Amino acid sequence: METDVAIIGSGFGGSVSALRLAEKGYDVTVVEEGRRWTAETLPASNRDLRKFFWFPSLGLRGAQRMTLLKDVFILSGAAVGGGSVIYANTLYEPLEGYWHDPAWAAITDWRDELAPHYDQAKRMLGVTTVPFDTPADELLLTIGRRMGVEDTFHKTDVGVWFGTPGETVGDPYFGGRGPDRTGCIRCGNCMVGCRHGAKNSLDQNYLHLAEQLGARVVAERRVVDLRRASDGRWALLSQRPGTPVWRRPERTVIRADHVIFAAGSLGTQKLLHRFAEDGPLDRISPRLGSLTRTNSEAIVGASAGTDGVDYSQGIAITGSIHVDEHTHIENVRYGRGSDAMRAITAPMVDGGGAIPRPLRFLLQLLTHPLEFLRNLTQTRWSERTVPLLVMQSLDNSLQTLRRRTPFGSFLTTRQAHGTPNPTWIPAAHTAARFGAEAMGGIPVGSIFEATLNVPTTAHIIGGAPIGETAADGVIDPYHRLHGHDGLHVVDGSAITANLGVNPSLSITAMAERAMSLWPNAGEPDPRPPLGAPYRRVAPVAPRTPAVPADAPAALRQPASA
């Protein structure tokens, strides 16, 4: 397969890149490991394990990927549309500390440079504020009151079409060039995949429009190798994920002038590490894997409520409170019947102290066995549980590295720049206990925190940080890979600091900015040569905009740098 630009991954970075480069006249091919989902094929609940979880070697080809590394347990997505198919719709701008993090603040005025791209991203993703109240909001307000921060409560900004519940209308965003939207019915199953046409996932906006302009999406193909061809172009080798080792895989070669890594922070880092060791990336920055962030997250909750309230009503996340300037808590839910994630929870065990956390978990199991059994065996889990997603904008990070063994190589981690990545967040545990008291339940956390002292994150970011030189970062401020012409990184791995909020909007805005600086196909490149000092560049208007100028999501770029 021949193409101008090959994009690895179809999440927020990949989908934005596909649309904006197709508008500029490039032939674009997107390679996606996951499958394409429709309203008819998505699972009705996450109890349909084959269609919810992503373990292709076991025949499970859903969208929910789970990865355990040495220092973190990661939840991510695999689908056409990336994690947007099962994400929680939440689209916030970062907390204040993000803009001033020394890891990248000296390069430019990022807030000013990214401001128009945040605006564009919000209009493309249909961002609006949740317009209704739910029982989980009342619980979060109660937690905020107990923690003395009730006044910080606010509704979430989300990418959902609310309209009239269940009523289908013509495209409200893209001047008739987008799909119909149906008003949200508040079933709560956003993180299983929306089967009702309300969620503005990437296959309903950026990717939808890119395909209209001729971009190709090659689904269910995993990139396994990268080589420089004799003519100087890049060659990607891909195969179907989960092919048994005893079966010869059917492989596809894609040749391209440019390759954009957009496989998410975890996927992109795996590929870059592998190609640095085994392939052509011999000049990659030694900073690869540095500033890998967990968004300083913890996922805890209050479960097994006895108050008779159904907490599954609404959408995935409807409210937030701010415990301090760095710490942000959101209420979370799965829809009725989606109880599968109960299997990775356990009664909450505090970290710190002289007694190792796994031993403390065993002591709690012996002294409070009924609490453990109550969590393990409860019915209607999603209706009686409110997970709490806790995020911080503090400066902590991990370093990823590739470790070889006689049985193969694998990605691992170690503590790195800043304070140690937290294995528990005291404010999160306090919030979970207050919530449990209010609902007559028990506080819960991740089984991996309790047994391995390993935190959970749904938002792994960083690992290919931005820097003016290869000594400072893996990519330059235009998202080009230092030392390698024609290679780019446009996804969450380029986020250099903890945001303290869900990262999807920031990834989208950064991708919008990066793509705005590309020339139209066949025209001179306004960016300085790779390796030259950074200078601010005026955006390049696309040759063929996908969205009419009078539509709400029309492209509005700043006139100058």
Side-chain angles (χ1 to χ4, degrees):
M1 189 180 295
E2 303 285 336
T3 191
D4 295 334
V5 183
I7 301 173
I8 306 172
S10 62
F12 289 93
S15 290
V16 172
S17 299
L19 172 60
R20 298 309 180 199
L21 295 183
E23 289 180 316
K24 290 185 172 183
Y26 293 91
D27 185 89
V28 175
T29 300
V30 181
V31 186
E32 169 56 52
E33 189 172 37
R35 63 175 286 187
R36 187 186 293 268
W37 294 96
T38 66
E40 294 73 31
T41 60
L42 281 164
S45 80
N46 62 18
R47 287 189 293 196
D48 186 345
L49 305 186
R50 185 178 60 85
K51 296 176 73 174
F52 179 68
F53 289 108
W54 173 260
F55 291 105
S57 59
L58 301 177
L60 278 61
R61 296 183 179 271
Q64 181 65 74
R65 188 198 310 264
M66 300 192 297
T67 307
L68 179 63
L69 300 181
K70 176 178 172 289
D71 297 292
V72 62
F73 177 66
I74 301 165
L75 301 171
S76 57
V80 173
S84 77
V85 173
I86 55 168
Y87 87 133
N89 321 303
T90 305
L91 297 163
Y92 280 137
E93 293 195 30
L95 299 185
E96 185 66 25
Y98 172 71
W99 302 110
H100 308 296
D101 192 290
W104 76 323
I107 296 173
T108 186
D109 184 344
W110 287 108
R111 189 200 296 271
D112 180 68
E113 191 160 342
L114 283 165
H117 303 293
Y118 272 97
D119 172 71
Q120 184 67 50
K122 288 179 179 180
R123 289 182 292 106
M124 285 292 297
L125 297 170
V127 176
T128 188
T129 303
V130 174
F132 51 79
D133 297 320
T134 71
D137 295 322
E138 292 302 317
L139 185 71
L140 190 60
L141 272 166
T142 299
I143 293 169
R145 192 175 304 121
R146 293 285 303 274
M147 299 183 78
V149 293
E150 180 184 10
D151 60 329
T152 68
F153 174 85
H154 59 88
K155 293 300 184 67
T156 48
D157 294 335
V158 295
V160 175
W161 174 252
F162 288 109
T164 301
E167 179 180 302
T168 300
V169 299
D171 163 37
Y173 304 115
F174 309 114
R177 297 184 184 177
D180 293 346
R181 301 281 75 205
T182 300
C184 174
I185 62 171
R186 309 178 190 181
C187 69
N189 258 332
C190 314
M191 294 192 296
V192 177
C194 181
R195 301 165 64 235
H196 309 289
K199 184 177 191 174
N200 296 332
S201 50
L202 294 166
D203 53 327
Q204 306 298 317
N205 40 66
Y206 283 102
L207 210 54
H208 176 92
L209 296 168
E211 290 186 281
Q212 286 186 348
L213 291 177
R216 291 178 296 277
V217 177
V218 182
E220 298 186 74
R221 306 299 293 181
R222 173 180 289 166
V223 172
V224 295
D225 203 0
L226 172 73
R227 288 286 180 264
R228 197 89 193 229
S230 58
D231 60 359
R233 305 182 81 209
W234 293 100
L236 288 176
L237 185 66
S238 69
Q239 65 186 46
R240 180 175 168 82
T243 303
V245 293
W246 61 85
R247 182 181 301 168
R248 183 177 180 180
E250 177 189 332
R251 290 182 165 171
T252 303
V253 177
I254 300 173
R255 289 161 46 88
D257 298 314
H258 297 270
V259 174
I260 296 176
F261 290 86
S265 175
L266 181 63
T268 288
Q269 288 195 67
K270 285 183 175 180
L271 291 173
L272 292 178
H273 276 293
R274 182 192 309 165
F275 300 153
E277 273 194 31
D278 304 334
L281 304 187
D282 54 336
R283 298 186 304 279
I284 200 164
S285 166
R287 299 280 288 162
L288 176 61
S290 67
L291 300 182
T292 297
R293 315 278 194 170
T294 66
N295 215 15
S296 195
E297 275 186 15
I299 301 178
V300 295
S303 190
T306 58
D307 55 4
V309 176
D310 179 1
Y311 289 101
S312 68
Q313 304 168 35
I315 62 171
I317 297 175
T318 51
S320 292
I321 58 173
H322 296 265
V323 177
D324 55 45
E325 62 177 324
H326 297 293
T327 307
H328 169 211
I329 302 177
E330 297 171 345
N331 56 17
V332 185
R333 65 182 59 74
Y334 281 95
R336 184 176 298 178
S338 288
D339 300 339
M341 299 302 276
R342 177 184 62 190
I344 61 170
T345 68
M348 195 168 66
V349 180
D350 289 346
I355 302 175
R357 201 170 185 184
L359 179 57
R360 198 176 302 161
F361 171 72
L362 289 174
L363 292 173
Q364 182 166 317
L365 182 61
L366 292 172
T367 55
H368 298 85
L370 294 181
E371 194 172 275
F372 181 80
L373 289 172
R374 182 179 175 188
N375 178 70
L376 190 65
T377 61
Q378 68 165 304
T379 58
R380 299 185 292 114
W381 180 86
S382 61
E383 299 169 53
R384 302 170 62 198
T385 300
V386 179
L388 299 172
L389 173 58
V390 184
M391 297 164 279
Q392 297 181 309
S393 57
L394 297 174
D395 185 17
N396 48 60
S397 71
L398 300 171
Q399 169 76 46
T400 64
L401 54 153
R402 195 174 184 221
R403 180 161 294 167
R404 289 186 179 275
T405 73
F407 308 102
S409 59
F410 61 93
L411 197 70
T412 187
T413 57
R414 60 175 171 80
Q415 298 292 340
H417 167 84
T419 58
N421 192 68
T423 57
W424 76 297
I425 298 174
H429 285 219
T430 299
R433 288 193 170 95
F434 286 155
E437 288 176 19
M439 68 192 300
I442 57 174
V444 295
S446 160
I447 187 68
F448 300 103
E449 281 195 16
T451 60
L452 301 175
N453 202 32
V454 168
T456 298
T457 182
H459 302 125
I460 191 74
I461 52 178
I466 293 173
E468 287 206 73
T469 70
D472 306 315
V474 176
I475 58 174
D476 72 4
Y478 311 100
H479 289 249
R480 302 175 300 192
L481 196 69
H482 281 300
H484 297 87
D485 286 322
L487 299 183
H488 315 257
V489 176
V490 186
D491 61 12
S493 59
I495 291 184
T496 303
N498 279 325
L499 301 121
V501 298
N502 316 61
S504 300
L505 183 66
S506 291
I507 298 169
T508 307
M510 291 179 74
E512 284 277 13
R513 171 188 167 274
M515 295 303 104
S516 76
L517 305 179
W518 279 55
N520 283 294
E523 295 181 0
D525 193 339
R527 298 166 294 183
L530 188 63
Y534 175 72
R535 61 177 171 81
R536 198 159 170 176
V537 175
V540 177
R543 192 176 291 153
T544 312
V547 181
D550 58 351
L555 185 62
R556 300 175 194 161
Q557 291 182 333
S560 60

